[in-house]
């Protein structure tokens, strides 16, 4: 019996001795698991940091692209605003040359035609004298259509757009059917366009197209109708008008300018 008691004591002692080792193994496993979790968290954080860095690089690249597009768009706007001086190489021949080459292609007798019929002459005497919106002195001393036209055109070339608009208005009142009336209508529209008065500019260009649809400036006039509509915020109408310019005047400077502006509008629509 004593032997049995001793055996029981030995077993109990062994169990007591073994308990701390088991507890130690459990504690070690917990610590390993904790370390593994930390490593996993660090790896996830590193992946997140990598993604953030990639996004930052993409944002920087997009910002650079946007700035380039804004710069290009500003250049296009400036080109459209200033193109009244260089839209067509023929402008120098039409506006800045001698009187004979600058005349539009009309029969030589055409300028005298309005004075021949009796009815228009009688009607003219009954109309009130034209009101002069520009410099009355400058127009009064000219004495002929060409010189009056040059006074207004010189103001335009000098960048005095408000003055040129008033002078062209006065010219058109003095010579509503004159040889230079189509040119005056075009440059009156340009004077308004240069000062961003787009509704008035569109109105003058439409008047040019309505009265002189086959004139040399018809293509440029239709182009400027589209650009004026764009300036007014009528983007859809502007696109339709510019597409008409490309289709109606293929190969012309007006068509090329219209195509460039169409590409700019479409690009702007894509990045919105």
């Amino acid at each position: 019996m004593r032997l049995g008691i001793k055996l029981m004591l030995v077993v109990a002692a062994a169990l007591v001795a073994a308990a701390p080792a088991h507890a130690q193994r459990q504690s070690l496993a917990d610590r390993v698991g904790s370390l593994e979790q930390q490593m996993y968290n660090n790896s996830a954080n590193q992946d997140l940091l990598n993604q953030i860095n990639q996004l930052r690089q993409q944002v920087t690249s997009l910002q650079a692209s946007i700035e380039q597009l804004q710069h290009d768009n500003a250049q296009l706007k400036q080109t459209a605003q200033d193109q009244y001086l260089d839209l067509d190489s023929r402008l120098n021949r039409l506006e800045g040359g001698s009187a004979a080459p600058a005349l539009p292609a009309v029969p030589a007798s055409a300028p005298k035609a309005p004075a021949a019929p009796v009815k228009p002459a009688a009607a003219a005497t009954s109309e009130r004298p034209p009101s002069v919106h520009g410099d009355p002195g400058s127009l009064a001393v000219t004495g002929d259509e060409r010189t009056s036209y040059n006074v207004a055109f010189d103001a335009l070339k000098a960048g005095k757009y408000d003055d040129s608009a008033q002078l062209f208005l006065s010219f058109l009142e003095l010579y509503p059917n004159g040889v230079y009336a189509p040119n005056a209508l075009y440059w009156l529209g340009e004077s308004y366009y240069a000062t961003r008065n787009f509704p008035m500019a569109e109105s003058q260009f439409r008047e040019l197209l309505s009265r002189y649809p086959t004139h040399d400036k018809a293509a440029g006039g239709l182009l400027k109708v589209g650009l004026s509509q764009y300036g007014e915020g009528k983007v859809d109408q502007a696109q339709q008008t510019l597409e008409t310019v490309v289709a109606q005047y293929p190969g012309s400077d007006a068509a090329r300018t219209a195509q460039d502006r169409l590409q700019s509008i479409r690009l702007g629509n894509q990045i919105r």
Side-chain angles (χ1 to χ4, degrees), residues 1-271:
M1 183 169 179
R2 290 181 179 177
L3 181 60
I5 294 173
K6 289 181 179 180
L7 182 59
M8 291 176 62
L9 291 175
V10 170
V11 171
L15 291 174
V16 170
H22 176 69
Q24 289 177 0
R25 285 197 298 272
Q26 287 184 334
S27 177
L28 180 61
D30 291 341
R31 292 172 61 188
V32 170
S34 177
L35 290 174
E36 289 178 344
Q37 184 64 34
Q38 290 180 6
M39 291 176 62
Y40 174 79
N41 291 339
N42 289 337
S43 177
N45 290 337
Q46 186 62 44
D47 290 341
L48 182 60
L49 287 175
N50 291 337
Q51 293 177 11
I52 292 173
N53 289 332
Q54 290 177 355
L55 289 174
R56 285 176 177 170
Q57 292 175 356
Q58 292 176 2
V59 169
T60 301
S61 178
L62 288 173
Q63 287 176 338
S65 298
I66 290 172
E67 290 177 0
Q68 182 62 42
L69 289 172
Q70 289 174 337
H71 175 71
D72 293 343
N73 189 43
Q75 286 186 323
L76 285 173
K77 288 181 178 179
Q78 185 64 38
T79 299
Q81 184 174 352
D82 295 340
Q83 70 176 350
Y84 67 92
L85 291 178
D86 57 5
L87 177 63
D88 191 344
S89 61
R90 293 175 298 173
L91 292 180
N92 289 332
R93 297 195 300 271
L94 290 172
E95 311 299 345
S98 60
L103 289 173
V106 296
S109 59
K112 299 179 182 179
V118 177
K119 280 183 88 174
T125 59
S126 64
E127 293 178 352
R128 63 177 178 81
S131 58
V132 178
H133 300 280
D135 181 357
S138 297
L139 291 179
V141 299
T142 58
D144 63 78
E145 180 185 346
R146 174 64 186 183
T147 311
S148 298
Y149 176 83
N150 283 342
V151 171
F153 190 71
D154 288 343
L156 177 73
K157 289 191 294 184
K160 301 176 181 178
Y161 305 122
D162 291 334
D163 291 343
S164 65
Q166 298 303 321
L167 289 166
F168 278 121
L169 279 172
S170 298
F171 174 86
L172 288 168
E173 290 184 350
L174 289 167
Y175 305 99
N177 299 308
V179 176
Y180 294 98
N183 299 61
L185 282 169
Y186 180 86
W187 293 116
L188 175 58
E190 286 284 9
S191 298
Y192 287 132
Y193 186 87
T195 56
R196 304 183 68 80
N197 189 346
F198 300 120
M200 290 295 293
E202 181 183 354
S203 176
Q204 298 307 317
F205 292 125
R206 287 192 180 278
E207 179 71 11
L208 167 66
L209 293 171
S210 175
R211 293 178 58 185
Y212 306 98
T214 59
H215 193 269
D216 287 344
K217 291 194 178 298
L222 186 58
L223 168 67
K224 278 307 179 71
V225 168
L227 296 181
S228 298
Q229 289 172 329
Y230 184 77
E232 296 174 72
K234 304 174 183 176
V235 179
D236 292 339
Q237 295 181 27
Q239 283 186 272
Q240 293 177 1
T241 303
L242 294 173
E243 288 170 355
T244 302
V245 174
V246 174
Q248 192 166 333
Y249 302 100
S252 66
D253 289 341
R256 285 188 287 271
T257 303
Q259 187 64 55
D260 291 342
R261 179 49 62 93
L262 281 170
Q263 291 177 355
S264 175
I265 292 174
R266 290 163 183 160
L267 181 60
N269 291 336
Q270 291 176 359
I271 63 176

